[in-house]
């Protein structure tokens, strides 16, 4: 027992030291204001939430792959090494900048509601939402889009073969990898969720139910078989054949609705990105059914009505205005956002600078406006006739910002027997009933009601920023409802405050999402600032449920990457500079 305890302590020390270490390429140019220095390299960079997967992406760049190849290889590897959010059984969004065409495409591979879904499917006889049906059973699973989306992007915009891009993930799953402390701690933290399901118990724990220990080799043989099927047959290796049969066969065991037709008919959609500007920079982000891009631009437009923030400190006046901006954007989110294939979403109005100016002008500089007195704004007159994130840039200037998710950590906690595939509980991102909060406390209205084939609203915010028409920044985050405000603050910290990507990411953040009516804040705010905000009528609550941006900056031929240290084990890796 003493030997095992010593081994655990040693593994923890090694893991922590590794997670906070940075490797630098030779001749890295100095950055101004660098308290924490980001990794850098001339041949591109990959930033993601798990180091082994990040290294795989960097190696794909070294093999001659482009940013899309590296992003897809990293994403498949994250399904092996970061199962809390990396996935085959979820969905997401990918922003791709094609340098030779000077064009951005938005790839929507969000989950879709099964054909048997209906708007009242989670209500009991009294009309109350049954949360357990959404979060803990396969009744909460949307039709997965990850496999279709990653393959679509790689086949259309990648350079290497599917076999080459998927081989590293298959190798990791089949041969296994040594566990680090945070790998084991993350699984143990969700033991109750993962041990409700027999297949999940077998996937993540030893035969006697004991946890794996740091340093032990963890193999995912069933997941390797699934990955091999996809590598060999492409989309049909997942949405047809034995994998599809296994998914459909397990649905009745857990109240699920997904059928063979749902799987075969799943569609990836390319959408026009939402675009805005901020102090001369071009902001390009994900459109609905993601709410992230629309409200990121809406908030930036409101912030642009005031002088830019400067310096490293946060004063109460600046944070008050920022919180009021967030409050108004999230109020709009609740009413106006949904799947544009099913409802009218006033994107042009919500992203209008005139609309933002009118919203900002109504903010009282001395007093918080209670959320109960703020409804959604009316953007129509301005119209004309959540997760894990990775960012990639290659030496040619191609960029990818990709966010994908299972919703809650480890999704439903249900593994499809024989496949190693964790299933999502993304149906929670629909409005199960108008005004009823979801897992992240967000409320929605009729536009986000459940319908067969519809995609649920999301907060995922993969974003690309351009300066003078050239690639400048790729960012995005995991973190549910906190994603949009985290991405917002990283961008503002870089553009307004001149921070490098490390300082911009590490800087303490706040979050306000309209309801509940409170400012969540990270450690770092002074007691005096908190007192001044409370005097303006704000309720403040400390929080440790962080969004974690993964950000790349491209400048003077160098890629600078930084992985948010709020997630242990994340990394920024370059083909020429290590991690």
């Amino acid at each position: 027992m003493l030997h095992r305890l010593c081994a655990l302590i040693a593994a923890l020390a090694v893991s922590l030291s590794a997670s906070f270490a940075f490797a630098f390429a030779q001749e890295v140019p100095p950055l101004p204001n660098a308290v924490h220095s980001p990794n850098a390299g001339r041949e591109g960079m990959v930033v993601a939430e798990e180091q082994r997967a990040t290294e795989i992406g960097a190696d794909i760049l070294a093999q001659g792959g482009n940013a899309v190849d590296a992003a897809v290889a990293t994403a498949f590897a994250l399904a092996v090494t970061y199962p809390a959010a990396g996935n085959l059984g979820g969905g997401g969004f990918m922003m791709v900048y094609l340098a030779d065409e000077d064009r951005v495409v938005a790839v929507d591979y969000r989950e879709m509601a099964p054909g048997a879904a209906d708007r009242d499917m989670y209500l009991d006889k009294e009309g109350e939402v049954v949360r357990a049906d959404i979060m803990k059973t396969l009744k909460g699973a949307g039709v997965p889009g990850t496999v279709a989306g990653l393959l679509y992007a790689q086949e259309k915009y990648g350079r290497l073969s599917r076999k080459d891009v998927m081989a590293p993930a298959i190798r990791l799953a089949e041969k296994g990898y040594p566990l680090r402390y945070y790998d084991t701690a993350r699984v143990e933290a969700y033991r109750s969720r993962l041990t409700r399901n027999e297949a999940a118990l077998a996937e993540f724990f030893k035969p006697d139910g004991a946890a794996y220990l740091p340093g032990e080799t963890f193999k995912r043989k069933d997941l390797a078989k699934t990955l091999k099927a996809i590598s060999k047959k492409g989309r049909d290796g997942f949405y047809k054949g034995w994998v599809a049969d296994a998914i459909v066969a397990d649905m009745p065991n857990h109240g699920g609705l997904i059928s063979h037709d749902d799987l075969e008919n799943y569609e990836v959609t390319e959408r026009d990105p939402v675009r805005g500007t901020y102090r001369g920079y071009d902001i390009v982000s994900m459109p609905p059914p993601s709410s992230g891009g629309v409200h990121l631009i809406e908030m930036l437009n409101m912030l642009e009505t005031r002088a830019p923030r400067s310096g490293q400190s946060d004063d109460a006046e600046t944070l008050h205005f920022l919180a009021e901006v967030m409050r108004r954007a999230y109020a709009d989110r609740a009413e106006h956002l949904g799947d544009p294939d099913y409802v009218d979403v006033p994107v042009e109005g919500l992203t209008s600078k005139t609309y933002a100016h009118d919203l900002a002008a109504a903010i009282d500089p001395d007093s918080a406006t209670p959320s109960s007195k703020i409804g959604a704004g009316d953007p129509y007159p301005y119209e004309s006739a959540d997760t894990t994130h990775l960012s990639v840039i290659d030496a040619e200037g191609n960029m990818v910002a990709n966010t994908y998710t299972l919703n809650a950590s480890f999704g439903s906690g249900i593994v499809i027997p024989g496949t190693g595939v964790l299933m999502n509980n993304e149906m929670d991102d629909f409005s199960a009933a108008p005004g009823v909060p979801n897992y992240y406390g967000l409320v929605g209205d009729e536009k986000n009601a459940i319908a067969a084939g519809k995609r649920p609203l999301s907060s995922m915010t993969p974003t690309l920023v351009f300066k003078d028409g050239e690639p400048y920044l790729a960012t995005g985050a995991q973190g549910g409802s906190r994603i949009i405000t985290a991405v917002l603050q990283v961008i503002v910290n870089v553009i307004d405050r001149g921070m490098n990507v490390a300082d911009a990411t590490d800087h303490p953040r706040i979050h306000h999402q309209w309801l509940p009516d409170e400012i969540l804040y990270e450690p770092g705010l002074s007691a005096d600032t908190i007192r001044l905000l409370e005097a303006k009528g704000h309720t403040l609550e400390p929080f440790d449920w962080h969004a974690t941006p993964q950000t790349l900056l491209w400048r003077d031929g160098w890629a600078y990457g930084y992985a948010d240290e709020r997630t242990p084990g994340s990394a920024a890796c370059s083909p020429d500079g290590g991690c």
Side-chain angles (χ1 to χ4, degrees):
M1 178 62 107
L2 181 59
H3 173 75
R4 178 169 291 188
L5 178 60
C6 291
L8 274 170
I9 294 171
L12 172 59
V14 170
S15 298
L16 289 176
S17 64
S19 68
F20 291 103
F22 298 94
F24 301 97
Q26 293 182 353
E27 301 178 9
V28 175
L31 282 172
N33 306 320
V35 177
H36 297 86
S37 296
N39 198 357
R42 283 195 182 276
E43 301 304 316
M45 185 79 63
V46 181
V47 186
E49 291 195 79
E50 200 283 320
Q51 183 171 335
R52 285 162 293 223
T54 310
E55 290 171 342
I56 282 171
D59 187 54
I60 289 293
L61 292 179
Q63 293 176 34
N66 65 13
V68 176
D69 293 314
V72 171
T74 302
F76 275 121
L78 285 169
V80 180
T81 62
Y82 193 64
N87 66 85
L88 302 183
F93 303 110
M94 181 184 291
M95 298 290 297
V96 181
Y97 173 65
L98 304 169
D100 60 345
E101 301 178 35
D102 191 25
R103 180 167 70 97
V104 178
V105 296
V107 180
D108 176 355
Y109 59 96
R110 182 74 159 143
E111 300 88 343
M112 300 173 72
D118 66 80
R119 60 170 296 149
D120 297 328
M121 61 187 289
Y122 299 119
L123 303 183
D124 62 19
K125 294 180 180 179
E126 285 71 43
E128 298 295 323
V129 175
V130 183
R131 304 265 340 139
D133 281 357
I134 309 175
M135 301 304 296
K136 298 181 180 181
T137 76
L138 291 184
K139 192 175 182 180
V143 182
T146 292
V147 173
L150 296 181
L151 295 182
Y152 175 94
Q154 201 276 323
E155 290 166 7
K156 190 167 185 180
Y157 300 114
R159 183 180 296 156
L160 303 181
S161 70
R162 180 175 68 240
K163 179 181 178 181
D164 289 341
V165 168
M166 293 193 64
I170 294 171
R171 190 161 52 247
L172 267 180
E174 191 166 44
K175 295 186 177 180
Y177 54 92
L179 292 168
R180 298 168 181 172
Y181 168 77
Y182 40 80
D183 297 321
T184 60
R186 188 177 288 120
V187 170
E188 190 62 29
Y190 289 91
R191 172 180 281 273
S192 62
R193 180 174 298 176
L194 294 170
T195 54
R196 292 194 309 257
N197 172 245
E198 187 174 328
L201 174 64
E203 183 76 15
F204 295 106
F205 297 91
K206 295 178 179 179
D208 63 356
Y212 287 94
L213 297 176
E216 294 184 328
T217 298
F218 184 50
K219 298 180 180 180
R220 303 193 63 187
K221 295 285 190 178
D222 287 345
L223 186 60
K225 291 190 297 183
T226 300
L227 289 167
K228 285 180 179 179
I230 297 167
S231 178
K232 182 178 180 179
K233 297 184 177 181
R235 178 186 167 116
D236 286 354
F238 185 86
Y239 294 91
K240 295 180 180 180
W242 71 268
V243 176
D245 290 343
I247 292 172
V248 173
D250 205 36
M251 288 294 128
N253 300 328
H254 305 283
L257 302 177
I258 296 173
S259 68
H260 279 292
D261 284 344
D262 290 326
L263 291 168
E264 292 182 25
N265 294 331
Y266 179 84
E267 294 182 358
V268 178
T269 300
E270 272 196 26
R271 301 189 186 274
D272 292 330
V274 292
R275 298 175 180 270
T277 61
Y278 183 66
R279 307 197 196 280
Y281 292 77
D282 294 307
I283 313 296
V284 187
S285 193
M286 196 70 204
S290 171
S291 65
V294 168
H295 296 303
L296 171 66
I297 292 170
E298 181 181 5
M299 289 188 287
L300 287 171
N301 286 343
M302 283 189 267
L303 292 175
E304 198 176 36
T305 66
R306 305 291 175 94
R309 300 166 69 182
S310 60
Q312 302 289 311
S313 62
D314 293 310
D315 62 89
E317 299 300 324
T318 298
L319 293 180
H320 164 70
F321 184 70
L322 179 59
E324 292 298 298
V325 163
M326 293 174 178
R327 185 199 303 270
R328 284 156 176 79
Y330 276 79
D332 279 348
R333 183 192 189 277
E335 180 169 325
H336 294 304
L337 269 289
D339 185 344
D341 294 336
Y342 285 72
V343 297
D344 174 33
V345 181
V347 172
E348 189 171 348
L350 289 166
T351 58
S352 162
K353 288 189 182 291
T354 305
Y355 177 61
H357 183 276
D358 291 348
L359 289 178
I363 294 175
D364 186 335
D366 301 316
S367 180
T369 306
S371 291
S372 61
K373 295 184 178 181
I374 292 180
D378 182 9
Y380 288 94
Y382 304 86
E383 292 272 292
S384 59
D386 55 192
T387 317
T388 184
H389 180 85
L390 60 96
S391 296
V392 185
I393 192 166
D394 62 29
E396 299 164 24
N398 300 299
M399 292 195 295
V400 173
N402 183 81
T403 313
Y404 71 149
T405 184
L406 290 166
N407 191 36
S409 293
F410 298 96
S412 62
I414 296 174
V415 169
I416 303 300
T419 70
V421 174
L422 271 162
M423 289 298 289
N424 70 83
N425 48 15
E426 287 291 356
M427 295 291 284
D428 180 55
D429 279 350
F430 282 114
S431 298
V436 176
N438 71 358
Y439 179 68
Y440 296 99
L442 291 169
V443 297
D445 214 326
E446 292 296 326
K447 287 191 175 182
N448 193 37
I450 301 167
K454 191 175 181 182
R455 301 175 198 260
L457 189 59
S458 170
S459 294
M460 291 184 275
T461 316
T463 300
L464 305 176
V465 179
F466 298 83
K467 181 180 182 181
D468 300 324
E470 297 297 322
Y472 182 68
L473 197 73
T475 190
Q478 66 88 11
S481 61
R482 297 159 173 79
I483 291 173
I484 311 173
T485 56
V487 172
L488 171 77
Q489 288 167 90
V490 168
I491 292 173
V492 168
N493 287 342
V494 170
I495 293 177
D496 286 358
R497 309 174 83 170
M499 294 182 182
N500 65 52
V501 290
D503 294 335
T505 303
D506 284 348
H507 195 78
R509 295 191 288 264
I510 67 166
H511 173 78
H512 199 306
Q513 62 182 46
W514 183 50
L515 295 176
D517 189 352
E518 61 188 12
I519 294 176
L520 302 180
Y521 69 94
E522 292 185 304
L525 287 190
S526 70
D528 185 55
T529 299
I530 294 171
R531 179 183 61 79
L532 290 171
L533 287 169
E534 289 174 337
K536 290 179 180 291
H538 292 286
T539 298
L540 283 88
E541 292 290 340
F543 76 105
D544 57 6
W545 185 7
H546 308 291
T548 53
Q550 313 296 326
T551 305
L552 287 167
L553 185 146
W554 183 255
R555 190 178 68 189
D556 300 326
W558 287 87
Y560 299 91
Y562 187 76
D564 196 327
E565 291 183 349
R566 294 170 180 84
T567 299
S570 58
C573 300
S574 63
D576 56 356
C579 298

